[in-house]
Amino acid sequence: MTAVRFENFSYAYPNSDIALDNISLSIPQGSFSVITGPSGAGKTTLALAVAGVVPHYFGGRQGGSICVNGINSFQSSMGELAEHVGTVLADYESQLVAMTVAEEVAFGLETSQLSRSEITALVSQTLVKVGLAGLEECQVAGLSGGQKQRLAIASVLVMSPDILVLDEPASALDPEGAAGIYELLYDLNCQGKTVIVVEHQLARILPYASQVIVMQGGSLNFTGSLEQTLEFMWQHASLKLGVPALWTIKLRLEQETGLKFGAWKSESQAAEEINRSILTSTKGVAKSA
Ligand code: ADP
């Protein structure tokens, strides 16, 4: 099943040149999809198009079509689309509107048919899911950057969207905080959510990505598995710099030794594979001696 399908989608912001040019792309349901590419490539615009913010909020000119959970995006409102897609913007702090954590998560439920006690229970369950259990009465202003990001995720998660879109979700965090956010997103992905992130630091998503989408100059340059995409990027001078250091080592080693390693998702996996290949080659040397 496809969560999001772009067909020949093109878009220009009002009074601007084209930002997305003829995008055809499928994002499978339950995937962990990563949109990457250089600055100005159209990553944020593509993510906003999944959420319907483009073109519904910005206006501008568009062509082609976008289908979200089987719904024609252009014929739906942003409200209808929000039932399917939860969006955490790059500037997630601008999304936080309430004084306390509980009020923030409950905000989107105010117009629902749920009773007060049902809302309170749902808010607490959602805070547990994002690692903010027990912080209901805390002031939003007093939270750390990572906690605010988790809160922004909770406030969209509470609405039960099938698809989560996050633009650079770890941009303001230290490596530990970034890893924590991605582990949380992976947990949600394992629980069945389709996760779509904009991320230019691909080292962060090595353990999680099932599909990587490379944007360049407003066009879709490449889509494939993590392994296919990193190999493609490595072969193209303009994208090579975006290949994580671990994969630069892997692809160099493969090129220079003729060995073939698996998709390195972590340093420990890389170390294991290198160890194994050294052992195999020293056994070979011992046998032939
Ligand atoms: P990325 O996320 O890859 O850095 P963006 O999607 O932000 O790229 O931008 C793609 C193009 O659209 C760029 O040329 C950018 O200047 C332009 N753009 C982005 N936002 C707006 C806007 N609100 N109005 C006009 N042009 C915009």
Side-chain angles (χ1 to χ4, degrees):
M1 273 283 283
T2 302
V4 185
R5 187 188 305 279
F6 288 85
E7 270 176 36
N8 305 111
F9 176 66
S10 295
Y11 174 73
Y13 289 97
N15 310 313
S16 302
D17 288 340
I18 198 153
L20 293 178
D21 188 12
N22 202 26
I23 307 288
S24 291
L25 168 71
S26 280
I27 298 181
Q29 218 169 49
S31 67
F32 195 115
S33 292
V34 178
I35 305 170
T36 196
S39 185
K43 303 183 295 295
T44 292
T45 309
L46 189 68
L48 293 178
V50 173
V53 180
V54 158
H56 284 295
Y57 174 77
F58 279 99
R61 294 166 284 132
Q62 78 271 359
S65 66
I66 308 174
C67 214
V68 176
N69 265 1
I71 294 165
N72 182 325
S73 177
F74 297 165
Q75 285 165 13
S76 313
S77 65
M78 267 177 66
E80 281 171 83
L81 289 168
E83 289 172 20
H84 301 268
V85 186
T87 310
V88 179
L89 302 170
D91 177 16
Y92 56 87
E93 290 202 39
S94 68
Q95 276 179 263
L96 304 175
V97 290
M99 296 292 282
T100 68
V101 167
E103 286 165 2
E104 184 61 53
V105 182
F107 188 77
L109 299 171
E110 296 303 336
T111 53
S112 72
Q113 304 297 313
L114 297 174
S115 69
R116 207 25 60 201
S117 62
E118 285 169 325
I119 291 181
T120 305
L122 190 53
V123 165
S124 294
Q125 286 161 17
T126 310
L127 288 174
V128 170
K129 278 190 195 158
V130 301
L132 296 178
L135 298 190
E136 282 86 341
E137 298 315 317
C138 287
Q139 296 289 307
V140 174
L143 300 180
S144 69
Q147 286 174 322
K148 282 183 182 162
Q149 204 139 22
R150 285 168 185 268
L151 181 57
I153 295 172
S155 63
V156 299
L157 199 59
V158 77
M159 308 303 288
S160 292
D162 290 335
I163 304 166
L164 293 172
V165 177
L166 302 100
D167 192 349
E168 300 278 0
S171 57
L173 303 178
D174 58 21
E176 201 181 327
I181 286 288
Y182 272 111
E183 272 158 30
L184 163 63
L185 293 177
Y186 187 59
D187 262 4
L188 297 172
N189 180 238
C190 292
Q191 289 164 34
K193 302 285 178 200
T194 303
V195 174
I196 303 171
V197 293
V198 172
E199 181 58 80
H200 70 280
Q201 286 198 39
L202 291 180
R204 289 176 173 154
I205 55 79
L206 291 180
Y208 316 117
S210 58
Q211 173 175 257
V212 184
I213 297 153
V214 184
M215 295 295 297
Q216 211 172 9
S219 299
L220 184 64
N221 194 341
F222 191 83
T223 309
S225 66
L226 178 72
E227 191 159 19
Q228 290 164 337
T229 310
L230 291 176
E231 282 181 14
F232 173 85
M233 290 175 68
W234 199 60
Q235 284 156 9
H236 289 80
S238 60
L239 298 169
K240 204 170 181 170
L241 270 182
V243 177
L246 193 65
W247 274 69
T248 302
I249 296 170
K250 169 185 141 70
L251 294 167
R252 271 220 187 116
L253 269 177
E254 286 183 345
Q255 192 179 48
E256 284 169 20
T257 63
L259 290 169
K260 186 77 188 148
F261 299 109
W264 284 0
K265 297 190 173 223
S266 64
E267 286 171 10
S268 56
Q269 185 191 347
E272 248 173 55
E273 287 208 23
I274 292 172
N275 244 338
R276 206 177 312 131
S277 70
I278 291 173
L279 280 178
T280 315
S281 64
T282 48
K283 268 186 202 154
V285 170
K287 255 190 198 163
S288 62

